[in-house]
Amino acid sequence: MIIEKHEDHCLHTCNGHSYIRKNWLGSIVFPFSALLHQSEFSDEIVLHKAQIFKNNCKAVFPNRRIITTVFNEEGIQILVTRYIKALNPPQQLLDIFLHDSNATLDLIARFVSLIPCMPDTLDENDGCNVWMTSERSISLAIGNKEEHAILLCNFFLYFGKKALVLLGTSLLEGHVAYVLTQETDEYLLWNPLTGQCHKQFDSFCPLRSVDCLFDDENVWFNIQQNNTPMAVYFDYSKESFWKQMLPKNIQETKAQSIQVTGFPIQMPYTDVQSVVDAVYQTGIHSSELPQTEFALAVYIHSYPNNILSVWVYLASLARNQ
């Protein structure tokens, strides 16, 4: 709490003083990865950094696939990580094999593969990809390759599996999106368009290259010289094998301190201008910090004989890098 006292320069008989009082309610520190999931934080700065990351990766391996941002159904550009979240599969599928989780996973993969696949009409290098959410894909019973992989990945996350979407190429299908799951002692590669599951060292797996991985927190680009599935080291925590869009220390280096300042004003109602003047006199709008946001709420309680009590709630939110 800060109180500034300003005395009028007048004779000693004068008792006029003015006070400026600011109530500091506290500060909150949010992990950067959590802020990325908030739509209001997917601003041009974050998207620009994602584009720089993509360009840097393509400069090293121009033929490898990487997607960091897409457009949603509302035409808003967002990070691909926003599409990944645990999703409850249809209950009918869960009730068939109540005591066999592996059979349930196979059935869910089969279910996803039966959803009609919509061919890609745009070049992903143009940066104009439009993706639907998993809920929307199920509702419309259609999806492209990436949307199939995201849906299967989200279903697997519901079971607590460690699952990521894999972008690469296939001998049979060209550009593909698989789902990578990490088991106790091996990695499994799931083709969402066929429902088939292959072990990493399965010679019959049609996957030819492993280029990129992403989940709900990060995007990893494969920088290993040999990107065939059998040769790839899938431990994406190793920076010598995988280049990640958000560094490990992102929560330490890019956590934001958010200072919230606010207070209520209660006053009898006489006219609108009096209320406006009372708000201006608080000085809450005079913040010098850039990107300061404000909140305002008004409540009026009526009493007999047209007597009104006005409550004005003010708050400002300032982010400090």
Side-chain angles (χ1 to χ4, degrees):
M1 180 182 295
I2 301 174
I3 299 178
E4 297 180 6
K5 178 180 178 182
H6 301 274
E7 297 188 3
D8 294 337
H9 299 285
C10 59
L11 299 176
H12 293 291
T13 56
C14 296
N15 294 321
H17 300 82
S18 63
Y19 292 87
I20 298 177
R21 176 170 178 156
K22 298 181 179 180
N23 296 302
W24 181 61
L25 301 183
S27 78
I28 309 170
V29 175
F30 294 100
F32 189 74
S33 58
L35 290 174
L36 288 177
H37 289 75
Q38 304 300 319
S39 59
E40 62 270 16
F41 195 75
S42 293
D43 53 18
E44 295 181 0
I45 297 178
V46 176
L47 298 175
H48 181 64
K49 291 181 179 179
Q51 184 62 42
I52 293 176
F53 172 78
K54 177 181 177 179
N55 293 341
N56 292 339
C57 293
K58 297 291 286 185
V60 180
F61 293 100
N63 295 326
R64 295 188 182 181
R65 299 182 61 206
I66 178 173
I67 302 176
T68 57
T69 64
V70 295
F71 289 91
N72 63 15
E73 298 172 86
E74 299 176 353
I76 301 175
Q77 190 177 19
I78 61 175
L79 298 175
V80 294
T81 56
R82 295 275 300 280
Y83 285 87
I84 306 299
K85 63 177 181 179
L87 182 64
N88 191 351
Q91 189 61 42
Q92 299 93 315
L93 302 179
L94 302 178
D95 294 338
I96 296 178
F97 300 105
L98 294 176
H99 305 292
D100 191 340
S101 59
N102 290 331
T104 299
L105 295 178
D106 291 337
L107 180 61
I108 290 175
R110 175 62 177 165
F111 168 74
V112 173
S113 70
L114 294 175
I115 298 176
C117 183
M118 177 174 55
D120 294 324
T121 58
L122 298 174
D123 186 351
E124 65 184 38
N125 293 323
D126 294 337
C128 297
N129 293 284
V130 179
W131 289 359
M132 296 184 293
T133 63
S134 293
E135 294 86 351
R136 188 66 171 168
S137 293
I138 295 178
S139 175
L140 298 178
I142 197 171
N144 61 22
K145 296 177 180 179
E146 291 79 16
E147 289 161 350
H148 275 74
I150 291 172
L151 177 60
L152 183 59
C153 180
N154 290 341
F155 281 159
F156 284 170
L157 291 176
Y158 169 80
F159 292 95
K161 305 287 288 185
K162 183 61 178 177
L164 302 93
V165 174
L166 182 156
L167 301 180
T169 57
S170 168
L171 292 171
L172 304 177
E173 303 169 86
H175 287 181
V176 293
Y178 274 49
V179 176
L180 175 72
T181 59
Q182 182 178 352
E183 308 300 329
T184 303
D185 55 353
E186 62 182 351
Y187 291 93
L188 299 181
L189 302 165
W190 299 78
N191 186 340
L193 298 186
T194 64
Q196 294 180 322
C197 175
H198 301 273
K199 295 183 178 181
Q200 179 183 358
F201 300 103
D202 184 356
S203 58
F204 293 98
C205 178
L207 189 64
R208 181 177 62 181
S209 70
V210 177
D211 300 333
C212 176
L213 300 172
F214 67 87
D215 61 8
D216 63 329
E217 295 183 349
N218 216 333
V219 178
W220 292 268
F221 182 74
N222 185 8
I223 57 175
Q224 301 168 64
Q225 290 298 323
N226 191 339
N227 63 341
T228 58
M230 290 188 181
V232 166
Y233 191 67
F234 278 110
D235 187 356
Y236 47 85
S237 65
K238 304 298 183 182
E239 296 182 358
S240 58
F241 299 126
W242 295 90
K243 182 180 180 64
Q244 52 190 348
M245 185 172 67
L246 302 178
K248 286 184 178 180
N249 59 349
I250 193 69
Q251 295 188 11
E252 299 176 2
T253 60
K254 291 192 176 180
Q256 292 199 357
S257 174
I258 298 182
Q259 178 174 311
V260 181
T261 305
F263 44 82
I265 299 175
Q266 192 281 321
M267 59 184 297
Y269 178 79
T270 55
D271 56 74
V272 174
Q273 190 59 47
S274 298
V275 178
V276 174
D277 292 341
V279 172
Y280 274 114
Q281 289 172 7
T282 64
I284 194 173
H285 62 285
S286 60
S287 173
E288 296 181 356
L289 296 176
Q291 298 182 346
T292 300
E293 299 179 18
F294 300 93
L296 171 68
V298 178
Y299 170 73
I300 301 177
H301 189 83
S302 62
Y303 289 90
N305 298 325
N306 295 323
I307 304 300
L308 302 177
S309 174
V310 179
W311 289 84
V312 181
Y313 300 87
L314 303 169
S316 67
L317 184 149
R319 293 187 176 96
N320 297 320
Q321 188 71 34

